[in-house]
Amino acid sequence: MRDIKRKDLERAGRTIYLLALVTLTIWTGGDANAAVADANPADIIVDEIGPEWTRTLPDPEGLIEGGAARLFSSDDATLQLLANPRLDCVTGVTGQSHGLALLRSLGFEELPADGSGVAKFAAGDGGGFGLAAMFTTNRFTFVVFVLANDPAVALDPIADAVVELQAARDGGVVIGASQAASRIDNIILDSPPVPGLGNQLDYTADTFACEQGPQGIVASSEVLTFLSTHSTERLRGWLDQSTGSGAIVNLIDYPYEMFAGIAAGGPSPQGFRPLPISDFDGLERIPNVSAWHTAGDVPQYFARFRRGRILALVAVTEGADAVSARSTLSTLSRAQFEAMPNGSTTALQIPTAAESVATSGSLLAVIGVAVLGVRRVRAGRIVRINVKPDDAVSVDVSGRAAALRHRGTVLGALQVICVAAIVVFLSSDIGWLRAVGAAATVLLGMGVTALWRREESRVLGVTPMERVHPRPSPGSAALTVVALSLLAGGAGLVVWGLRETLFVPSLTHLQLSDRLSIEPRLLAWMIAATGLLVIVVDAFVLRAARALARIGWRQWTEAAPPIVYLRSFEDDDVQLANVLSARRPFLEFFTLRGRDAFEESVAWELACYGPVLAIARPGHTDVSLGAARMHLGDDVWRTVIGEQIDEARAVAITIGRTPGLAWEISHIVQTGHLDKTVLLVPPVDAAEVELRLKFVADTLALSGVDPQSLQVDPNGLVVVKVGHADQPGVAYCADRRDEATYRAAVAAVLA
């Protein structure tokens, strides 16, 4: 029968610290002193128990630096107190669980738990008796050994008194890790397929107890708390007493794959040297495995890999045979990998702040370019026209239109940059500067668009009047507020999704993901996509708000002579291909419209010279982004239109073939307003253009006007200024019919 004496106390303490050192160097890269620098047990371990106890000096030697120990003796017993920084805050292993396993391996038998968080073990027979108590405080793990030669001495009161005295110095006892069953209990290796490894140590671990979290994951304490309640960890170890080597297998079952991927792609342990997988026979069979080696007092080999949401860490201490240690690591790793369920094995890297900013900016730039591409595709194919203008009566505006398109492309690029910059600001962790930077970039985008309108006017060779801004109606103001709210909400969702995708998810996101049972990264992409959809919908709402505002244009006719727009009601449905230009506000960047009403593009250019008015189509709404509508009855419309034409600065007519349009043309000729009239040729097929030109020519001839200016090649014809008296007519043509062409032609004729 073995008698437990004081030398056994010191041997047990040294053994516990030796294995603690092995695990410590696995997780901290061999620099145990650096890891424990902020938690010094010597500052907190008790140095006086009571008058009946004598402290034995010097303190025990041979323990690892960073730990502390005290020896005390009395007439009846000997007591040793060991202190070490909490292993879960240093090594990734719950110190109490670690120590419990070691005490079991030393022959102590665990006593029934009393729920206090203090684990007690008893050992002794023959001429000796011993009691061990282990507990964990906020920063440290303590072991109390009490030995007595006389079995009649009650050791429990002694141990309890020391536990109470020591725990009071560091905030009380902290209950150890949960032993709840999990699926990895059936996955972790039960017995190693390596001869000689025995003396199994089996316990739970808790790498989330401290703010640094498991290796590779850097997150807030709230996120780590979430992971600690949604993750499970098991650790199993074996010793080979004949060679002095040991092995540990650690499994962490994360709630989501992304955390396992991040941990698998974490940085190399400090002080470890990466090794090529070819140095380990058979280790290459594990996809995406990483391996390291460290020399020193306890040489070790380390492998890390994952399958799905389970991360595996395998460590082997070298012992007497380095070749055998490498073989053991390879064999254990392969056996553990095969026991794990199928799943992804790739590692994920947490991007740096600069990388995240670059990624989010690039992603939004790609989305912005894609939006512009969708607009172009939806605009449809624009047929090139072989224009042969007659120098006497025709003017080719193709050059001005091309310059307008070119500048629109430059504006589109600037707007894409602004959109990307807005998201970059909102995604960055720069405090209050996020909102300031984003707001400044929004204003910059709006300012650039406004300045570009002046640039477009310069390209078109005109100096327009101050653009008329209608007084907003209550409906347009309310809809604008709704639109801006949608824009802010959509942008917020996009930024939320990108931040949760490019960084470690926040606690709020994890909780939402848990409630919806959706993987966090997938949920983040869904949120970002929803935000983009909201922004696209918002573009329609903003468009409707602007259209509502145009109803108020009639209020401004007294301040500025109007531009009267006449057309056949059927032409309200004629569509014209858009180009990139300042006509569309910056806040509507994400609209996917590729074509707008023909009237809308023409009215935009006409509005440079005054409010554009038109008769409303019976039974239709006043809302339009073209001309402001006037609802007139059949009995008064001729009178009102006649009055408006008299007051108008210009009259624009989309040529057609209806009786109403014929009356309007005849009235213009009869009242002498042909000199301020412009004929617009809509983007319809060539045959229809010829029919309309003939109808208008016949109407002019009946009114006594020579229609010679309309007798030109209809190919590429966009605008006609009818000649009269001694002023010859002019036809404006171009090599294609799109928004740029008509704006260039309207500007040319009105200038």
Side-chain angles (χ1 to χ4, degrees):
M1 299 294 182
R2 190 170 67 87
D3 185 13
I4 299 180
K5 301 294 185 181
R6 171 174 167 170
K7 63 179 181 180
D8 297 315
L9 272 176
E10 295 190 6
R11 186 179 69 83
R14 282 193 296 269
T15 303
I16 288 177
Y17 278 102
L18 178 61
L19 197 48
L21 174 62
V22 171
T23 310
L24 185 70
T25 52
I26 289 175
W27 286 86
T28 63
D31 192 0
N33 296 336
V36 300
D38 295 332
N40 187 1
D43 295 336
I44 199 144
I45 191 170
V46 298
D47 53 7
E48 182 177 346
I49 299 177
E52 71 275 20
W53 292 92
T54 301
R55 178 177 168 187
T56 303
L57 297 176
D59 292 332
E61 297 179 356
L63 305 178
I64 65 168
E65 185 178 353
R70 294 284 187 267
L71 275 175
F72 301 90
S73 62
S74 68
D75 294 338
D76 301 320
T78 301
L79 182 146
Q80 182 174 15
L81 178 60
L82 307 175
N84 197 59
R86 275 184 63 172
L87 297 180
D88 51 1
C89 294
V90 179
T91 69
V93 179
T94 300
Q96 183 160 321
S97 297
H98 186 277
L100 296 180
L102 291 172
L103 287 170
R104 295 188 189 104
S105 70
L106 294 173
F108 284 80
E109 296 179 1
E110 188 172 5
L111 299 176
D114 58 7
S116 65
V118 179
K120 292 184 179 179
F121 292 76
D125 47 28
F129 181 81
L131 179 71
M134 172 165 283
F135 61 99
T136 301
T137 62
N138 288 328
R139 293 177 295 166
F140 303 97
T141 297
F142 297 92
V143 182
V144 179
F145 290 101
V146 186
L147 298 181
N149 291 328
D150 184 357
V153 176
L155 300 183
D156 261 327
I158 299 175
D160 291 343
V162 176
V163 169
E164 182 179 358
L165 182 64
Q166 182 63 75
R169 289 199 173 192
D170 198 35
V173 176
V174 177
I175 305 298
S178 171
Q179 299 286 338
S182 72
R183 68 170 183 160
I184 57 176
D185 288 332
N186 299 322
I187 296 173
I188 192 167
L189 291 180
D190 184 47
S191 58
V194 178
L197 288 180
N199 297 326
Q200 177 175 298
L201 308 175
D202 189 5
Y203 47 92
T204 60
D206 182 11
T207 64
F208 305 96
C210 301
E211 289 194 3
Q212 71 267 28
Q215 190 180 43
I217 295 181
V218 180
S220 66
S221 58
E222 291 84 0
V223 172
L224 294 176
T225 300
F226 176 88
L227 290 178
S228 69
T229 58
H230 290 74
S231 302
T232 310
E233 186 170 3
R234 293 291 183 270
L235 193 149
R236 190 161 286 168
W238 303 271
L239 298 174
D240 185 344
Q241 294 182 341
S242 63
T243 62
S245 64
I248 294 176
V249 173
N250 184 202
L251 295 185
I252 305 176
D253 187 4
Y254 290 93
Y256 306 109
E257 279 199 29
M258 65 170 298
F259 287 103
I262 292 173
S268 302
Q270 183 181 357
F272 278 68
R273 178 173 57 90
L275 288 178
I277 305 304
S278 57
D279 286 4
F280 300 85
D281 184 21
L283 196 60
E284 72 281 355
R285 300 177 194 172
I286 302 177
N288 302 300
V289 66
S290 302
W292 297 275
H293 169 259
T294 182
D297 296 337
V298 186
Q300 299 161 33
Y301 296 92
F302 179 56
R304 182 174 63 194
F305 52 89
R306 77 156 175 132
R307 251 189 167 180
R309 69 187 202 190
I310 300 177
L311 176 73
L313 308 166
V314 180
V316 175
T317 56
E318 190 169 282
D321 188 350
V323 175
S324 175
R326 294 192 184 197
S327 176
T328 297
L329 182 75
S330 179
T331 301
L332 281 178
S333 298
R334 292 200 316 270
Q336 184 58 75
F337 181 79
E338 292 169 0
M340 296 162 67
N342 292 332
S344 175
T345 61
T346 56
L348 304 175
Q349 297 291 334
I350 301 178
T352 63
E355 290 172 339
S356 296
V357 166
T359 301
S360 59
S362 301
L363 181 60
L364 260 295
V366 169
I367 292 175
V369 172
V371 167
L372 301 184
V374 170
R375 285 194 216 165
R376 181 63 189 87
V377 171
R378 297 194 67 191
R381 181 171 176 263
I382 301 176
V383 179
R384 289 290 190 102
I385 303 169
N386 185 17
V387 178
K388 297 179 180 179
D390 183 342
D391 292 339
V393 297
S394 300
V395 175
D396 187 359
V397 296
S398 300
R400 288 185 178 182
L404 195 62
R405 294 186 200 98
H406 172 71
R407 280 160 176 77
T409 302
V410 175
L411 175 62
L414 293 175
Q415 288 179 334
V416 167
I417 293 172
C418 288
V419 168
I422 291 169
V423 174
V424 166
F425 272 114
L426 292 176
S427 300
S428 303
D429 291 321
I430 53 176
W432 59 270
L433 290 176
R434 292 173 55 193
V436 173
T441 311
V442 170
L443 294 177
L444 177 63
M446 297 172 65
V448 167
T449 305
L451 289 175
W452 222 253
R453 291 174 188 156
R454 296 180 178 272
E455 173 66 12
E456 289 179 351
S457 297
R458 186 189 67 78
V459 169
L460 295 177
V462 297
T463 305
M465 294 174 52
E466 185 69 23
R467 185 176 292 274
V468 175
H469 295 284
R471 186 179 305 155
S473 65
S476 66
L479 201 56
T480 300
V481 172
V482 172
L484 294 178
S485 299
L486 285 174
L487 182 61
L493 289 175
V494 170
V495 172
W496 178 8
L498 289 179
R499 284 179 62 85
E500 301 297 344
T501 300
L502 300 175
F503 298 91
V504 176
S506 65
L507 175 62
T508 301
H509 188 73
L510 289 176
Q511 291 171 335
L512 179 61
S513 178
D514 185 51
R515 285 196 296 269
L516 298 178
S517 298
I518 302 176
E519 197 274 331
R521 187 151 291 184
L522 174 60
L523 179 61
W525 283 118
M526 292 171 62
I527 290 173
T530 301
L532 281 176
L533 180 61
V534 171
I535 292 176
V536 170
V537 171
D538 171 70
F540 289 94
V541 180
L542 277 172
R543 179 180 172 83
R546 289 197 296 131
L548 278 175
R550 295 240 172 173
I551 297 175
W553 270 26
R554 289 193 62 192
Q555 302 170 0
W556 293 84
T557 55
E558 294 181 1
I563 307 295
V564 176
Y565 176 69
L566 306 174
R567 87 287 184 205
S568 299
F569 293 139
E570 290 76 9
D571 287 337
D572 288 350
D573 299 326
V574 174
Q575 298 288 305
L576 180 67
N578 292 334
V579 297
L580 295 175
S581 75
R583 182 174 69 85
R584 178 170 284 132
F586 174 67
L587 295 181
E588 288 185 33
F589 176 84
F590 282 95
T591 183
L592 301 179
R593 297 174 62 88
R595 304 178 74 87
D596 287 325
F598 169 67
E599 174 195 332
E600 182 178 328
S601 297
V602 172
W604 168 266
E605 199 62 38
L606 292 172
C608 293
Y609 308 98
V612 185
L613 303 180
I615 298 175
R617 188 174 186 176
H620 283 66
T621 178
D622 290 346
V623 178
S624 169
L625 273 175
R629 298 299 197 251
M630 298 181 293
H631 281 276
L632 304 175
D634 290 339
D635 56 339
V636 299
W637 74 268
R638 288 179 177 85
T639 302
V640 174
I641 283 297
E643 294 174 352
Q644 293 294 336
I645 289 175
D646 291 339
E647 299 174 0
R649 178 176 183 178
V651 179
I653 303 176
T654 296
I655 61 173
R657 296 187 288 146
T658 61
L661 195 61
W663 179 88
E664 291 166 341
I665 294 174
S666 298
H667 178 79
I668 288 172
V669 174
Q670 293 170 7
T671 55
H673 295 305
L674 193 58
D675 59 335
K676 62 181 181 183
T677 300
V678 178
L679 300 182
L680 307 174
V681 181
V684 294
D685 60 75
E688 178 64 19
V689 169
E690 288 192 39
L691 292 175
R692 294 189 182 204
L693 284 174
K694 185 178 183 307
F695 180 85
V696 174
D698 292 344
T699 302
L700 288 172
L702 290 174
S703 301
V705 176
D706 183 1
Q708 182 179 357
S709 57
L710 296 179
Q711 296 172 357
V712 295
D713 185 357
N715 285 329
L717 187 63
V718 290
V719 174
V720 177
K721 186 73 168 62
V722 180
H724 64 95
D726 58 347
Q727 295 184 358
V730 182
Y732 296 85
C733 57
D735 59 358
R736 69 185 79 177
R737 287 192 178 106
D738 61 9
E739 176 191 338
T741 297
Y742 283 95
R743 287 184 59 193
V746 168
V749 69
L750 289 184

